[in-house]
Amino acid sequence: MGKSEVRLKKCERAIRAALLIQRWYRQYVARLEMRRRCTWNIFQSIEYAGEQDQIKLYNFFDFLMHHFTPASSERSLISHIFRVNEICRDAEWERYFCYESIEVPDSYTGPRLTFPMTFCGVSKVVQAFKHKQQLHARYVLQLLRETWRLLRILTNISHVSTCHTKEITICGDLHGHLEDLLLIFYKNGLPSSEKPYVFNGDFVDRGKNSLEILLILFGFLLVYPNDVHLNRGNHEDHIVNLRYGFTKEVLGKYRVHGKKILNLLQKIFSWLPLATVIDHKVLIVHGGISATTDLNAIARVDRHKYVSALRPPKPTHYAADGCKTQAMGSNHREASGPAEGRRRVCSLTHHSSPPAQRSDLPRRSLHNLPMGSLLSWSVEEELKRRRRLAGFDQSYGELQRSDTESGATAETDEHEWKQIVDVLWSDPMPQNGCIPNEVRGGGCYWGPDVTEEVLGRHNLQLLIRSHECKQDGYEFCHNRRVLTIFSASNYYEMGSNRGAYIRMGPDLVPHFIQYQASQACRELTLRQSVGWTERSALRALREQLFVHKSDLISAFQEFDPNNTGKISLSHWASATESVLKLGLPWRVLRPQLVSSTQYGIVDYQMWIRELSITEPKLQISDTSILETMYKNHSNLETIFRVIDTDHSGSISFEEFRQTWRLLCSHLKTEISDEAIADLAHSIDFNKDGSIDINEFMEAFRLVDLSAHA
């Protein structure tokens, strides 16, 4: 064999080896990508299911307000969340913002602010927060007052112009991730007249430093009102804040003045602009659009009426003293009850079927919100009577148009409200059309055809929105006419996603800057990062499976008529999805969730026992109350914080009982007063007759033992 033939064979072996390595690597990357996508689906499905629960709970409260008599105990428990402070005139609001009586002690080491706010002052605030210092309550209230004064003179839609000497920076959701905001400022520079910014909503909730982010952004807004633009997000809403952590954060950091700070922030959130337009060509909104989106209508909306976007306002009337007496969807709901003839809506904005078919809608929708079956006979009679008085002959959740004089006004108010909800809550979809967003429970899904029509009608070329976490921090869709930007890195878990922001010059071409705020995460390999987030997602999913174990066993037994304790893998997947309704690929996830199967058969009884979850060791006679507690942990905390009207962080035994009665009404289940009292006494650790909300929720936190193995 000649030397040339030897060299040729060596080359062939080298090429064959390279091809094998390349094939192996592609398969390796493909497997990692599949694991990453499954992990992402788990996180997102659980997140959106929580949003559905939040909106359904609020609609239950709304139902109580509409249909129960003003004197009913259920109605009185939650009536305060439907009205803003009983203050009518701006002068009274000024007094409510009063901070002069609050003294700053000499021992205070944080920044001492002077107003009007200066760049030096807000820079000191940034540095203080960077070093974990807290701004004194006096300065917080003063800064909020100045912000409120400024926001009131801003328009609903901010208009921004570019020039060749400066680019506009656009940031998406921050969700309390202060480290992401500080990293953006480090990489891109602080806001200034030469460095304008647009922050596209969802500044608060989920993260630990929502208030710090707000104060920084408000500070820069005061210094550069023409160069810093803040859009409202769906989490700038005091009802949403009850569930997702911002209310708890503020009350924990400012125990004396926290309630006042929260009330003022409710007012400020309602004054945040709804959209920003760059050079009349690029529209920036938090959520998105719908087929009926009209920027001219949005520009005319009296936006501050919508303290919560979860409920439409009632018509505005003026009393003899000139004070507005409107009882609003997120605002005022007077003790006299709903106005007669008011048109009701049973979902946030969209109705996917006529009333006669509403009972056929799937669970994952706001449209089917049936009345609690456990309500007592007298309550049922009261509901029927109130519906007759209000002109409703149909059951809860159905529409009935009114012919009263207020009908036209109500229709106008509802149209305005729908415009706002769609802007704050909607998501794009790949298919044409516009349908209810039944995954989140609010807003709509809109397709490429709607994008083309709405942008064309307003002579726009690009829609920038946020609202959805993206693994790379940004994502184009709809033929690159819609761009999602998300700025909170590590949103679900360390390594779950990058954050990103946009730089845009006069050519209106977006340039992306991606980042990871965590140094530890930046040092992980791709395999380590996927493994870390996968374990976290599976831990969250196992908790969901555990809290539904009774329902799962019942569903499995339907496929096991002979009580063998075993079912096929396909039946296991079908039953699991029928209970959790998360839309996950259960057969793909089976190896991570079920330790072993034999010939495609799952021993479901053993599998339930193997879920490595610990429970609190409490002596409670009725164990069903524990499963209800696990399954509705977030709803229960929300009701707790609604009932805790003085924001003290603790509730009495009677308030604890009322909390459970509300939850039982919402869930259409029955738990005896004796079982509730038994639970209350078992968790009153210091035996003072009251229950600390935070201690109670922590006592019932499930722990996945597999995570600590």
Side-chain angles (χ1 to χ4, degrees):
M1 184 180 292
K3 291 183 179 180
S4 60
E5 291 181 354
V6 172
R7 285 198 299 268
L8 183 61
K9 286 190 175 182
K10 286 183 178 179
C11 288
E12 288 177 352
R13 285 197 297 269
I15 292 173
R16 191 177 294 115
L19 290 174
L20 287 173
I21 293 171
Q22 187 180 62
R23 183 184 303 169
W24 171 84
Y25 182 73
R26 285 175 176 172
Q27 291 174 346
Y28 169 76
V29 172
R31 286 193 296 269
L32 280 181
E33 179 62 19
M34 186 180 71
R35 289 170 57 192
R36 191 174 74 118
R37 292 187 181 187
C38 283
T39 297
W40 193 259
N41 287 340
I42 293 170
F43 277 131
Q44 199 165 64
S45 295
I46 293 174
E47 177 190 8
Y48 289 172
E51 290 187 349
Q52 290 177 44
D53 286 344
Q54 160 73 23
I55 295 178
K56 288 178 181 178
L57 180 62
Y58 185 81
N59 274 269
F60 169 69
F61 291 161
D62 185 28
F63 177 60
L64 294 183
M65 293 301 300
H66 271 91
H67 296 284
F68 277 48
T69 59
S72 68
S73 60
E74 293 91 345
R75 192 181 194 277
S76 62
L77 281 173
I78 51 90
S79 61
H80 64 280
I81 70 169
F82 289 94
R83 58 176 184 269
V84 180
N85 319 290
E86 296 75 11
I87 299 175
C88 299
R89 301 179 182 85
D90 289 344
E92 294 182 58
W93 266 105
E94 290 282 359
R95 287 196 292 272
Y96 193 70
F97 277 93
C98 180
Y99 57 85
E100 284 86 354
S101 61
I102 303 174
E103 295 184 0
V104 181
D106 295 335
S107 58
Y108 171 69
T109 58
R112 295 176 180 267
L113 303 183
T114 58
F115 292 84
M117 180 69 82
T118 63
F119 178 80
C120 180
V122 70
S123 297
K124 290 179 180 178
V125 172
V126 172
Q127 289 302 313
F129 292 159
K130 185 176 181 179
H131 294 94
K132 313 297 183 184
Q133 289 182 303
Q134 185 168 297
L135 188 63
H136 194 275
R138 175 190 174 100
Y139 301 126
V140 172
L141 292 171
Q142 195 170 1
L143 195 154
L144 294 181
R145 185 186 70 169
E146 297 303 317
T147 302
W148 172 69
R149 286 175 169 175
L150 173 60
L151 289 175
R152 288 170 56 225
I153 65 174
L154 300 183
T155 57
N156 292 346
I157 302 176
S158 305
H159 288 272
V160 185
S161 298
T162 61
C163 66
H164 292 285
T165 59
K166 61 183 179 183
E167 293 179 316
I168 293 176
T169 302
I170 304 160
C171 300
D173 297 32
L174 288 166
H175 278 301
H177 288 213
L178 179 62
E179 63 275 15
D180 287 304
L181 180 62
L182 296 177
L183 183 58
I184 292 171
F185 287 163
Y186 173 78
K187 294 170 72 72
N188 194 62
L190 294 173
S192 67
S193 55
E194 289 75 34
K195 187 79 67 176
Y197 276 81
V198 177
F199 294 93
N200 198 25
D202 276 13
F203 318 118
V204 303
D205 282 333
R206 302 189 188 276
K208 298 179 179 179
N209 299 109
S210 298
L211 185 58
E212 285 83 356
I213 287 177
L214 282 180
L215 296 175
I216 289 173
L217 297 184
F218 290 163
F220 280 115
L221 176 67
L222 292 174
V223 179
Y224 302 108
N226 298 318
D227 301 291
V228 174
H229 307 276
L230 309 181
N231 286 348
R232 184 177 184 177
N234 65 304
H235 277 263
E236 278 67 63
D237 186 311
H238 70 106
I239 301 297
V240 178
N241 300 155
L242 285 169
R243 183 187 185 99
Y244 290 104
F246 183 54
T247 298
K248 178 181 177 181
E249 176 190 331
V250 173
L251 295 176
K253 291 176 178 177
Y254 294 92
R255 296 187 178 276
V256 176
H257 301 285
K259 181 178 180 180
K260 178 176 284 191
I261 290 171
L262 285 172
N263 287 335
L264 300 181
L265 284 170
Q266 288 181 30
K267 191 75 170 175
I268 287 172
F269 287 166
S270 71
W271 280 105
L272 287 170
L274 302 171
T276 301
V277 175
I278 300 177
D279 288 346
H280 305 287
K281 291 296 182 182
V282 178
L283 172 65
I284 307 173
V285 295
H286 176 73
I289 56 176
S290 72
T292 60
T293 295
D294 182 353
L295 295 185
N296 295 321
I298 292 174
R300 295 191 300 266
V301 167
D302 194 4
R303 69 180 186 273
H304 77 278
K305 294 192 304 183
Y306 300 87
V307 177
S308 174
L310 297 180
R311 188 159 168 261
K314 292 181 65 179
T316 301
H317 305 285
Y318 288 86
D321 61 356
C323 180
K324 290 185 180 181
T325 61
Q326 129 194 91
M328 313 205 12
S330 31
N331 303 4
H332 308 59
R333 172 68 67 178
E334 301 301 330
S336 58
E340 304 298 343
R342 170 93 170 101
R343 180 184 177 188
R344 310 282 199 266
V345 292
C346 61
S347 70
L348 280 190
T349 53
H350 295 266
H351 312 299
S352 61
S353 61
Q357 300 172 343
R358 302 231 167 212
S359 59
D360 299 328
L361 289 169
R363 183 192 73 87
R364 302 187 71 179
S365 169
L366 265 183
H367 303 284
N368 57 335
L369 295 168
M371 184 169 52
S373 60
L374 69 104
L375 298 176
S376 65
W377 178 85
S378 60
V379 172
E380 287 282 4
E381 290 301 306
E382 175 61 25
L383 288 174
K384 293 177 182 178
R385 187 180 73 82
R386 296 296 294 179
R387 279 199 295 268
R388 285 196 300 270
L389 288 174
F392 286 86
D393 295 325
Q394 298 138 299
S395 62
Y396 172 46
E398 296 182 349
L399 297 177
Q400 176 81 7
R401 292 182 179 273
S402 172
D403 295 327
T404 60
E405 294 180 358
S406 63
T409 304
E411 188 75 20
T412 301
D413 286 347
E414 187 176 317
H415 175 70
E416 288 185 351
W417 165 71
K418 180 182 181 302
Q419 295 282 331
I420 292 179
V421 172
D422 288 343
V423 161
L424 298 182
W425 280 89
S426 297
D427 294 303
M429 66 177 181
Q431 303 85 6
N432 284 338
C434 187
I435 61 175
N437 192 332
E438 296 180 347
V439 174
R440 287 190 191 268
C444 73
Y445 279 119
W446 86 92
D449 58 330
V450 175
T451 295
E452 292 295 328
E453 194 279 326
V454 173
L455 293 186
R457 177 159 32 95
H458 294 93
N459 196 27
L460 298 165
Q461 67 184 42
L462 178 66
L463 167 62
I464 298 177
R465 43 92 62 177
S466 301
H467 195 42
E468 287 184 286
C469 181
K470 299 298 180 182
Q471 289 182 325
D472 293 321
Y474 72 94
E475 183 179 275
F476 277 106
C477 64
H478 294 184
N479 302 315
R480 299 180 70 88
R481 301 292 301 276
V482 174
L483 170 58
T484 299
I485 187 72
F486 197 87
S487 298
S489 65
N490 307 307
Y491 177 64
Y492 292 121
E493 181 57 82
M494 182 184 295
S496 63
N497 66 286
R498 295 180 180 180
Y501 59 91
I502 299 169
R503 285 178 182 157
M504 181 175 284
D507 58 0
L508 301 182
V509 175
H511 302 276
F512 308 100
I513 294 85
Q514 300 169 290
Y515 53 85
Q516 286 275 10
S518 170
Q519 178 66 36
C521 184
R522 290 195 293 270
E523 295 172 353
L524 295 177
T525 65
L526 176 61
R527 182 177 181 179
Q528 290 172 328
S529 177
V530 171
W532 186 295
T533 54
E534 183 182 53
R535 287 190 294 273
S536 177
L538 291 172
R539 184 164 61 247
L541 186 56
R542 276 193 292 269
E543 289 181 5
Q544 290 292 312
L545 292 166
F546 177 80
V547 301
H548 289 87
K549 62 182 180 180
S550 295
D551 295 334
L552 285 169
I553 291 173
S554 298
F556 294 150
Q557 288 173 342
E558 291 184 9
F559 294 105
D560 182 24
N562 297 323
N563 293 321
T564 63
K566 299 178 180 180
I567 57 175
S568 69
L569 177 58
S570 61
H571 287 162
W572 172 84
S574 298
T576 303
E577 174 59 26
S578 70
V579 172
L580 267 68
K581 294 181 172 61
L582 292 176
L584 295 173
W586 295 105
R587 293 174 69 95
V588 175
L589 292 169
R590 193 274 309 165
Q592 285 79 28
L593 297 174
V594 182
S595 59
S596 63
T597 58
Q598 192 171 19
Y599 307 112
I601 300 298
V602 176
D603 187 332
Y604 65 85
Q605 292 180 341
M606 180 181 295
W607 175 66
I608 290 290
R609 290 194 298 270
E610 286 178 350
L611 288 173
S612 303
I613 305 292
T614 61
E615 306 179 54
K617 300 297 187 289
L618 298 173
Q619 300 298 319
I620 300 174
S621 56
D622 186 352
T623 57
S624 65
I625 198 172
L626 291 179
E627 187 164 341
T628 303
M629 169 69 217
Y630 301 141
K631 201 181 300 183
N632 299 278
H633 187 274
S634 296
N635 280 342
L636 191 57
E637 182 173 8
T638 300
I639 298 174
F640 272 148
R641 298 200 181 280
V642 168
I643 290 179
D644 180 26
T645 55
D646 61 354
H647 297 303
S648 65
S650 63
I651 57 177
S652 66
F653 278 8
E654 176 58 24
E655 289 173 327
F656 183 78
R657 187 190 69 81
Q658 292 171 334
T659 298
W660 275 95
R661 300 318 305 164
L662 268 180
L663 182 63
C664 290
S665 297
H666 175 52
L667 299 176
K668 301 171 291 179
T669 187
E670 184 64 75
I671 295 177
S672 67
D673 285 347
E674 291 75 15
I676 296 172
D678 188 18
L679 175 62
H681 284 95
S682 68
I683 59 177
D684 181 18
F685 302 115
N686 58 3
K687 305 303 178 185
D688 64 350
S690 65
I691 298 170
D692 182 278
I693 297 174
N694 293 331
E695 287 184 2
F696 173 76
M697 303 311 294
E698 183 64 23
F700 282 85
R701 185 171 61 88
L702 297 175
V703 177
D704 186 353
L705 294 180
S706 64
H708 304 281

